[in-house]
Amino acid sequence: PLVARAVIAKRRGDVGAEDPAEITGRVIGLAATLGVLTWLSLALATPQALTFAGAEPGSPLVGTAEAYLGIRAAALPASLVNTVAVGAFRGQLDTTTPLSIVLAQTLANVVLGAALVFGVPSIGIPAMGVEGAALATVLSIYLAFGLFCVNLNSRGMVTWQAALTWPSTLREMQPLIVGSLSQLLRTLSLQAVLLEFTRTVVGLDASGLAVAAHQVALRTWFFALFALDSIAVAAQGLMPTVLADGGPGAARIVANRLLVWGLGGGVLSGSLLALGSGSIPAIFTDAVAVQTSAAPLIFLIALLQPLAGLVFTWDGIFQGLTDYAYLAVAMAISAGFTIAALQVDALHDSLQGVWICFSLFLVFRGIGLAWRFWGPGPLSKNEDRGPESSGA
């Protein structure tokens, strides 16, 4: 949104309009700094991080996880810069370039993963197992980093010198910092819910059947999420542009149209998932018991898709409007209610109960976002009133 607003202001010739390339450069500098600091923090506190995530100290899992994380964390600076680059392109309403780069990154990760995990003895590459998977991911992320930098530079979308000036412009970057902290709170809230779900499912049975079925359903959910999230991505780029050009009234019209697309996408994806709920688990496993347990969960996911389409679209709309603080608080409250519901015996004693709580999490989010959209939010009709009309 910061880049999109700067692009609009520059296009209109506003006095004092900031150069979008300067903004991108400063944010890249901040992202790279945070990435390096996080990398170093993880390197110094890997055991503590794994314990916090639920790993048992001294277990075989910890040794494997430490080896993986030690390599994987090296990609943090590039990962954060890549995220900024995606935002810069979205601010220019260009989603094609990030898609092309991410596809190249994914392909590289698949090829490198196969080579480094299993080895290629004919050319002297040893089988590295889990460490090979981590290294493949790191190399593919840095490949994307290079491609993003080349594209930003060739299109004049970044001023590299500005990357060194971010400490002196923290006041101007306050909206970004607030947004980043809010995004952190949202992410932590979401991860807290997912972690509580995982802990509950692990305790359901010792055979691992519930965990396997849960993972099949969760992977299906995330696949559908990415499909629906395309509308949210469009909203993040469109809303600041329309708001700057036409004001809240025009922004509401576009937002309503985006919601129709989100709802329609949810109905379509839900219909496809419902039709395939009995066969989708076979894509993940040939264990009949897991397939049988996962099928009802996937049907539930199908029923949730229309609501998910609205929730994700609202999320994108409010991100585009930089309403980060509300999104963070709403997510935290929804997470709190969901975790509380999960403590009810009738819900946490079965896999179906866990997924009912998962559904409640989406419902809670939907209620909070709907209230913000139709109530006292940034698209409220009161926002159309100027100072001269406020006392009329």
Side-chain angles (χ1 to χ4, degrees), residues 127 238 251 325 364:
L238 287 171
F364 292 147

Side-chain angles (χ1 to χ4, degrees), residues 212-344:
H214 177 71
Q215 285 301 316
V216 168
L218 201 60
R219 293 308 106 193
T220 304
W221 166 262
F222 280 123
F223 180 81
L225 180 154
F226 290 134
L228 293 178
D229 209 36
S230 60
I231 308 298
V233 169
Q236 291 173 28
L238 287 171
M239 294 311 297
T241 302
V242 175
L243 186 64
D245 273 345
R252 275 196 302 273
I253 294 173
V254 172
N256 286 329
R257 190 171 302 170
L258 286 166
L259 287 171
V260 171
W261 278 97
L263 178 62
V267 171
L268 176 59
S269 64
S271 300
L272 294 174
L273 286 174
L275 290 172
S277 59
S279 55
I280 289 174
I283 299 174
F284 297 90
T285 178
D286 56 4
V288 176
V290 176
Q291 295 177 17
T292 303
S293 297
L297 304 182
I298 293 177
F299 188 78
L300 175 60
I301 290 172
L303 296 179
L304 292 173
Q305 290 303 288
L307 176 58
L310 292 174
V311 169
F312 299 152
T313 302
W314 271 320
D315 205 54
I317 288 170
F318 289 121
Q319 286 192 52
L321 296 170
T322 63
D323 198 12
Y324 300 123
Y326 180 82
L327 289 174
V329 172
M331 178 72 87
I333 293 174
S334 298
F337 279 130
T338 302
I339 293 174
L342 194 57
Q343 309 312 308
V344 176

